[in-house]
Amino acid sequence: MKNLLSKELKLCVPTQTWIFVALSMCICIPSWPVMTSYIYVIAGFMPLFPIALANRDLLYTSILPVKKTDVVKGKVLLMCFLQLVSILWSIPFAVLKVFMSASMPPEDLYPELGVNPALFGFILIMFMMFNLIYVPWYYKKPDTKNAAAQLVSMFACMIYMGIITAVFIAVPGLADFINNLANPVSLGVNIGILVAGLLLFIGGSALANYLGGKAFQKVDL
Amino acid sequence: MSNTVLELIDVTKRYASFTLDHVSFHADEGRIIGFIGRNGAGKTTTMKAIYGLIEIDEGSIILDGKSVKKDEQDIKNDIGLLFGGIDYYPNQKVKTLTSVTKSFYSNWDEALYRKWLKYFELDEEKRIKELSNGMKVKYGLAVALSHGAKLLILDEPTSGLDPVSRDEVLDCFMKIAKMKGTTIIFSTHVISDLEKCADDIVYIQKGKIVKAATAEEFKSGYLKVEGEVNSLTSSLKDKIGHYREHGNKFAGTIPAEYKNDFASYDVTEASLEDIMLFIERGVEDEESPF
């Protein structure tokens, strides 16, 4: 597993992908919908797969002494790694946003899901959705399926993000409740969403790996 | 008696327009096996099947007693596979690609790798795209030999190489097979390469194995015949494959059992190329526009 991830990081990640991962720092922008910052890491996957194809990565990895399904596992590990890096990288900027927002007049701020554990739970669910839609689809036919799989899985994530954002704006008091971490009930809900997000992210990505591997097994290289 | 390293039993793979049809042959330790057939005959498909890159529909492939299907990871440790030369990640340096590759092999021998680099005069600082075709093949060989591959599967390793580089690579194959006991299966369209170094020949045509035998046995089945056109009767002409005329002279290939029929002509040993042309082109089709 370590070898696979190390191989992906050394050979497969173009600079633009790292730039997109770093864009999760946009979370610090006040009144900018918080979840938007994490769509960028998904957009950063756009060049990842076509570049790997151009470098004959599928054949190279398949020739290494690994199972054919490990070709998929390597990419899923990389995707999860980059997604988690984008979250970790954004944390200091999220704290900055809290300070910046505190100094702004309340009328300039709209009710939104703030920087709290629930946010990261929702983000992890979004990443899981992307992985689960994209990976099995792409590995059915890696030569041709990239564009369609990317667009549909990204679109699904944007709809999900839009719904979450809209719900917190539309339901009166919901944003205040979820952002009030001093309230033990709110804190419990926050932690519950984070744990659920983490479990779904791990389980969904593992399922994406399994389904992608199963599809790729049938692909003749 | 040599140990059998690789055995293919009734390997079948069906595509819409092509079938690899019950392919069976074996490869013994330390032998060089020339795998020949025309384009699209199924050579690359067979090689990919041996390595598990394609899923076969029927049959089994056994390497050193292990099944390719069940022991995929183990088996890959024992095989070196090269399609032409190494051309993955052309913008990466040789040393970067090696550092990634070697981390996957449990039996990687770094000191041996260094020796092969020196022997092949490979510069690790060069990017893959900066290597010549010959160097790409040599780099692939250096990697394969440094993880102790018992079997090398090489698809057209000498294509695009100049005669000197080709000779060097073939020389290297012979040394590896003889001194290290490595079995080598290689396909090529440069049939003269096989004359130089193949111990065994496996001939595939339209997805089926026509013959798998030692090179001597394979060649003993055919003869080259030459003579004057005027002296040739039509019944004898019909027995000649890949028949061609030049002035008053003719040449062609015949199955060895017709040797006595051609006693009055120049009958010599057929080359592998003559045999290939005989098998593929056969006797001239009467409905040919020519």
Side-chain angles (χ1 to χ4, degrees), chain A residues 11-25:
Chain A
L11 297 178
C12 303
V13 190
T15 313
Q16 30 309 29
T17 299
W18 286 118
I19 292 169
F20 277 103
V21 169
L23 284 178
S24 64
M25 67 167 71

Side-chain angles (χ1 to χ4, degrees), chain A residues 54-70:
Chain A
N55 284 318
R56 303 181 75 211
D57 177 70
L58 291 174
L59 190 58
Y60 170 70
T61 316
S62 301
I63 284 173
L64 293 171
V66 295
K67 290 178 185 165
K68 197 173 168 187
T69 50
D70 287 341

